[in-house]
Amino acid sequence: MAHWRQFIGYLWASFALFIILATFIGGGFWARKLVNLTGIKVSPWLNGGDIVQIIQNDRYRIFIHQVVFDGLIGQRKQGFVQIDWQPKTGLLPAQLNDSIDYDHDQVVDFTIRFNSKTNRAWLIDKKPYVIKIGSIYPLGHERAIRVLLINSMSSQSRKTLSL
């Protein structure tokens, strides 16, 4: 009986060692399988949301992400839109001055002046629902800026729900 227990113990230990090695060696594989199986997505509050528009310039491209107002339950009162600048070759120009229409209504929502050397940005000619610059992210030769916004739909939906 003692030999039988010993055999099962060694068998279980070798099986556990195999599981541990497979977990560490294939960690990325198992993580991708779990994500694909469950449909888990990275929160747009972390990655800026999906890219919905690309504006081509002579020296750089501007990527406009979807507006993010998502909350745990429903929409938040404030959110942001992330704007990325990517040089076509080399570095971004030192001074950038771009007009952004993030909601595709043919009206400029704000103009942003950006110094890519000092990573400072200013909003110019902004609409009332545009609050301020939230964050500036230097990403190698690229730059990303989050512009904070007021969710005009959240107040309208609250009025509808209260009726």
Side-chain angles (χ1 to χ4, degrees):
M1 186 68 173
H3 293 293
W4 183 247
R5 276 193 200 170
Q6 191 176 17
F7 174 73
I8 291 176
Y10 283 122
L11 184 65
W12 173 247
S14 58
F15 183 66
L17 180 63
F18 173 74
I19 290 173
I20 290 170
L21 288 174
T23 302
F24 284 113
I25 293 170
F29 171 78
W30 293 114
R32 283 189 297 279
K33 284 289 186 191
L34 179 65
V35 167
N36 290 337
L37 184 65
T38 61
I40 295 172
K41 290 176 61 178
V42 175
S43 170
W45 284 90
L46 295 176
N47 68 5
D50 295 332
I51 295 172
V52 294
Q53 183 180 5
I54 300 173
I55 300 171
Q56 298 287 338
N57 193 306
D58 292 340
R59 298 179 59 193
Y60 57 91
R61 287 182 283 272
I62 303 170
F63 297 92
I64 301 175
H65 293 252
Q66 75 183 57
V67 179
V68 178
F69 290 114
D70 299 344
L72 186 58
I73 301 173
Q75 298 283 305
R76 295 182 183 196
K77 292 179 185 177
Q78 291 184 4
F80 67 89
V81 62
Q82 182 169 313
I83 314 294
D84 300 344
W85 284 267
Q86 181 185 70
K88 288 185 177 177
T89 58
L91 301 172
L92 284 170
Q95 295 292 327
L96 303 169
N97 196 17
D98 293 300
S99 297
I100 305 295
D101 172 22
Y102 69 83
D103 54 5
H104 313 294
D105 62 356
Q106 308 304 316
V107 176
V108 172
D109 296 300
F110 58 87
T111 300
I112 192 162
R113 183 176 297 148
F114 180 59
N115 185 321
S116 66
K117 301 292 182 198
T118 62
N119 291 325
R120 298 209 39 188
W122 300 266
L123 288 176
I124 302 164
D125 298 330
K126 64 185 181 86
K127 298 295 183 191
Y129 47 84
V130 178
I131 302 172
K132 64 179 182 176
I133 302 282
S135 304
I136 299 173
Y137 304 100
L139 308 165
H141 296 301
E142 300 177 24
R143 300 293 184 271
I145 293 179
R146 289 188 176 179
V147 178
L148 302 181
L149 307 169
I150 295 172
N151 187 354
S152 60
M153 294 303 291
S154 67
S155 60
Q156 290 174 357
S157 61
R158 283 192 188 86
K159 288 177 187 173
T160 306
L161 289 174
S162 63
L163 296 175

